[in-house]
Amino acid sequence: MYLGNLLGSIVYGGLLAITLTNMGTIEPAGVAARIVSIAEAKTIANEAIGLAGMVSVFVKAILCNWLVLSWRRDGHDHPVRPPERSFATWMPIFMFFALGFEHAVVNMFIIPTGMMLGAKVSVL
């Protein structure tokens, strides 16, 4: 499942990079520029502060998972009904992204896509 998420994220990111830059003929702007800045913030910015950056990433990952898991059920004995399920799925994703929390699958998309769009990030 991990490998499938990674491959799907990279393929989708590549297609998005092609779309946002007209096959590399224009500089990243708007959404593309934001993806680049997020990719750099999630990597270079944390690397620059060393151990504090790694601890911060770890804590943000824990908070992200707690947030997502807290929305899985509505607190009763029955599962969440379909109309509520879309809200229960969308809301924690919106919240963890807005709060800057770390999520492995989101990072599998943001970081490689940012790299394809010109982020100063490498795999090494």
Side-chain angles (χ1 to χ4, degrees):
M1 181 138 123
Y2 187 85
L3 184 60
N5 282 328
L6 178 60
L7 292 174
S9 295
I10 291 171
V11 168
Y12 185 82
L15 295 172
L16 184 64
I18 289 169
T19 301
L20 294 175
T21 63
N22 289 335
M23 194 67 179
T25 60
I26 61 172
E27 289 296 315
V31 172
R34 185 70 180 135
I35 290 171
V36 169
S37 70
I38 293 170
E40 290 175 348
K42 287 183 170 283
T43 55
I44 297 168
N46 285 314
E47 180 186 32
I49 57 175
L51 180 62
M54 290 304 296
V55 170
S56 175
V57 166
F58 185 74
V59 170
K60 287 176 183 180
I62 290 170
L63 292 173
C64 178
N65 286 321
W66 282 353
L67 178 66
V68 171
L69 291 175
S70 71
W71 283 76
R72 290 186 67 189
R73 295 180 69 84
D74 64 359
H76 301 288
D77 291 335
H78 58 83
V80 178
R81 292 180 298 277
E84 297 163 346
R85 188 174 300 139
S86 63
F87 179 75
T89 301
W90 174 83
M91 190 53 142
I93 293 170
F94 171 79
M95 288 174 63
F96 80 66
F97 202 78
L99 292 169
F101 290 167
E102 299 292 337
H103 189 276
V105 178
V106 172
N107 289 348
M108 285 183 213
F109 165 73
I110 289 289
I111 295 170
T113 304
M115 292 167 67
M116 289 180 238
L117 291 168
K120 297 175 184 86
V121 177
S122 73
V123 293
L124 301 177

